[in-house]
Amino acid sequence: MAQLLSYALTTLADVKETLGITGTSQDNLLIRKINQATEMIIGYCNRRFDEQTNVVEYYDGRIEQQLLLRNRPVTTTTTFKIEARDTSLNDNDFTTVPTDEYFIDREAGVVDGVASFVGNYDRWKVTYSYGYATIPSDVAEACVALAGYLYDNNPADANVQSKEEGTRKITYAATKAGGNMEDTFVQLGIKTTLDRYTEIVISGQR
C-alpha cells in the first residue's frame, strides 16, 4: 500500500469527494496520484509548502540593503537569526547581527538591513523557519484538481480529453502534440494560483 507523503498538499478524503469515489478499492492509486501531483507542484513552484524549522542557509555578500530569502513565509516557530562571517576566509566564524539592524517582511521573505549586506561568498548565515502549518486552501484545491486529472488520464498523453467528477463531466480543450505541464495547469485552471506561489531563484541564492 502506498503511503501518503508527509508533506502532501491535499488529503485522500478530499480527492475522493471531488471524484465521487466511495469505498477503498482505489485508495492505493489515488495516494500515488496525490503524491505525484504534490511533487509536480513543488517542482513547478520551486518550493516546499509545509513548515520547515531551524533551516540554515548561506547568502553571498550583496551591495543592496536587502536579502531575498529562498523560502517564505517566514514563521515565528523559532528565533530568526542572521550571522556575518568575521573574515574573508572560509572560516566557520560568525557573529550574530543585532535584531535592531534589520527588519523582516515575513510574508514576502525579505530582510531589509540598516546597512548593505556586503561581503564575500557565503558571507551571511541565516537561521529561520518557514512554510505553512496549514497548506493554503487554494494550493490544496490545485493539488486536488491535478491529482484527479492524473487519476483519470494517462500523463504521457498530451491531449486532455474529458473526465467525470461525480455527476459532473468536464471536457478540456485539446492541446497540441507535445503539450507540457503548464498546458495542463492552464486547462485545469490552477496555473494562476500556482504562479502566485512560485519562487524565482536569483543570483546569490543557492
Side-chain angles (χ1 to χ4, degrees):
M1 180 71 176
Q3 297 296 314
L4 194 67
L5 294 171
S6 62
Y7 51 91
L9 297 177
T10 190
T11 65
L12 177 61
D14 283 350
V15 173
K16 291 174 72 172
E17 180 181 40
T18 298
L19 295 176
I21 294 175
T22 58
T24 60
S25 63
Q26 297 299 305
D27 283 7
N28 190 70
L29 178 58
L30 288 169
I31 289 172
R32 287 169 48 206
K33 295 310 172 185
I34 292 171
N35 291 346
Q36 182 183 4
T38 293
E39 297 291 9
M40 289 173 67
I41 290 173
I42 288 174
Y44 180 79
C45 294
N46 194 34
R47 66 182 295 182
R48 284 274 292 266
F49 290 85
D50 57 319
E51 187 173 22
Q52 306 292 305
T53 59
N54 292 311
V55 175
V56 177
E57 296 174 349
Y58 294 87
Y59 294 83
D60 297 349
R62 308 174 65 83
I63 60 173
E64 297 91 351
Q65 289 181 237
Q66 286 188 333
L67 280 181
L68 179 59
L69 301 175
R70 297 186 187 96
N71 299 283
R72 61 184 173 91
V74 177
T75 69
T76 57
T77 303
T78 55
T79 301
F80 185 95
K81 182 169 66 172
I82 298 179
E83 298 171 87
R85 195 184 299 273
D86 289 331
T87 72
S88 59
L89 301 176
N90 188 26
D91 294 330
N92 189 26
D93 187 11
F94 290 85
T95 297
T96 300
V97 178
T99 56
D100 61 358
E101 293 187 10
Y102 58 86
F103 304 88
I104 310 168
D105 183 336
R106 293 184 178 274
E107 187 62 30
V110 176
V111 181
D112 284 298
V114 173
S116 297
F117 289 99
V118 297
N120 301 298
Y121 181 81
D122 280 357
R123 168 78 192 285
W124 302 94
K125 178 181 178 181
V126 182
T127 304
Y128 69 115
S129 299
Y130 63 86
Y132 299 94
T134 301
I135 302 301
S137 59
D138 53 351
V139 175
E141 287 301 320
C143 191
V144 169
L146 182 56
Y149 165 74
L150 294 171
Y151 170 80
D152 281 333
N153 297 272
N154 180 356
D157 182 3
N159 295 316
V160 184
Q161 298 175 359
S162 65
K163 67 175 183 178
E164 294 185 6
E165 296 181 348
T167 59
R168 297 186 304 159
K169 183 173 182 180
I170 302 173
T171 301
Y172 297 104
T175 60
K176 297 178 180 179
N180 57 29
M181 181 169 59
E182 288 193 29
D183 293 333
T184 300
F185 288 177
V186 169
Q187 292 188 31
L188 292 174
I190 64 175
K191 184 177 185 299
T192 299
T193 293
L194 298 181
D195 283 348
R196 290 200 301 269
Y197 292 91
T198 298
E199 299 292 355
I200 300 174
V201 177
I202 298 175
S203 177
Q205 294 184 320
R206 290 177 305 285

